[in-house]
Amino acid sequence: MSVSPPPSPDLQAQPLRFLAAYWGVWQVMSTRLHAALERQHSLDLRTFIALSYVQAGPITPAELARQLKVPRYEVARILRRLDDLHAIARRRDPGDARSHALHIEPLGQAIWASAMQTVQAVTAPALTTLNTDLDPVTAALERLAALSPEDRS
C-alpha cells in the first residue's frame, strides 16, 4: 500500500498569507522593540505595554490580565517588575477592601514617557511606510484582537 505525500500548502491562501505576514511583522518589530526597551529602560515589551495601561488610569490586576490576554500569574510577574522599578503603586479600593487598583507613580510616568519615545523612534521607519494605510490596518488588527474566544473558533 502506498502512502500519498501530504498536500503542498497553498502559500497564496489568504489565511496563510495573513498569518505569515503577521508573524513576520511581529518578529521584526518585537525583536527590535524588546532590545531597545531592555537596553535603554530595563523593560521588556510586555512590561512596557502593561505600564501603558496603568499610565492611562487606575486599573485592577484582573482587568490588566484581561486587557493583555495573559494569565493572572503572568501579570503578577509583570507587576513585580514594575514594583521593582518603583513605577506603580497599589491602592485599596475604598468600596471593596479586597480589591486594589494600580496607579502610576511619578517615576513610572518618567519611565513610560522615555520608553514611549524609544518605541516611536524604533517603530517610525516601518510605520511610516504605511502612510495613510496605518489607521485602517491598526483598526482592523484591533477588531481582530477584540473578538471573543467564541468568535475566534
Side-chain angles (χ1 to χ4, degrees), residues 56-112:
I59 187 170
T60 66
E63 180 58 25
L64 184 59
R66 281 190 294 278
Q67 291 293 327
L68 295 176
K69 296 175 177 50
V70 298
R72 289 176 125 180
Y73 69 83
E74 185 61 34
V75 166
R77 288 182 197 161
I78 292 167
L79 295 179
R80 272 195 300 278
R81 180 70 189 123
L82 291 173
D83 283 333
D84 291 347
L85 292 170
H86 305 287
I88 60 169
R90 299 166 196 250
R91 297 195 185 116
R92 293 249 177 247
D93 180 347
D96 182 359
R98 298 168 297 161
S99 180
H100 64 274
L102 306 168
H103 295 261
I104 193 82
E105 290 284 352
L107 185 53
Q109 290 174 329
I111 292 168
W112 182 85

Side-chain angles (χ1 to χ4, degrees), residues 2 16 28 31 41 43 46 55 58-59 66 74-75 88 102 111 113 119 127 132 148:
S2 77
L16 185 54
V28 170
T31 300
H41 310 285
L43 296 173
R46 187 178 287 182
Q55 169 73 16
I59 187 170
R66 281 190 294 278
E74 185 61 34
V75 166
I88 60 169
L102 306 168
I111 292 168
V119 167
L127 296 182
T132 59
S148 69

Side-chain angles (χ1 to χ4, degrees), residues 102-148:
L102 306 168
H103 295 261
I104 193 82
E105 290 284 352
L107 185 53
Q109 290 174 329
I111 292 168
W112 182 85
S114 180
M116 189 63 198
Q117 289 178 343
T118 299
V119 167
Q120 289 171 330
V122 170
T123 60
L127 296 182
T128 56
T129 65
L130 293 173
N131 295 321
T132 59
D133 292 335
L134 181 58
D135 281 335
V137 167
T138 302
L141 289 172
E142 289 168 341
R143 283 193 309 274
L144 288 174
L147 293 176
S148 69

Side-chain angles (χ1 to χ4, degrees), residues 33-47:
L33 273 173
H34 182 83
L37 288 170
E38 189 69 43
R39 183 177 59 255
Q40 296 174 34
H41 310 285
S42 299
L43 296 173
D44 60 33
L45 183 53
R46 187 178 287 182
T47 304

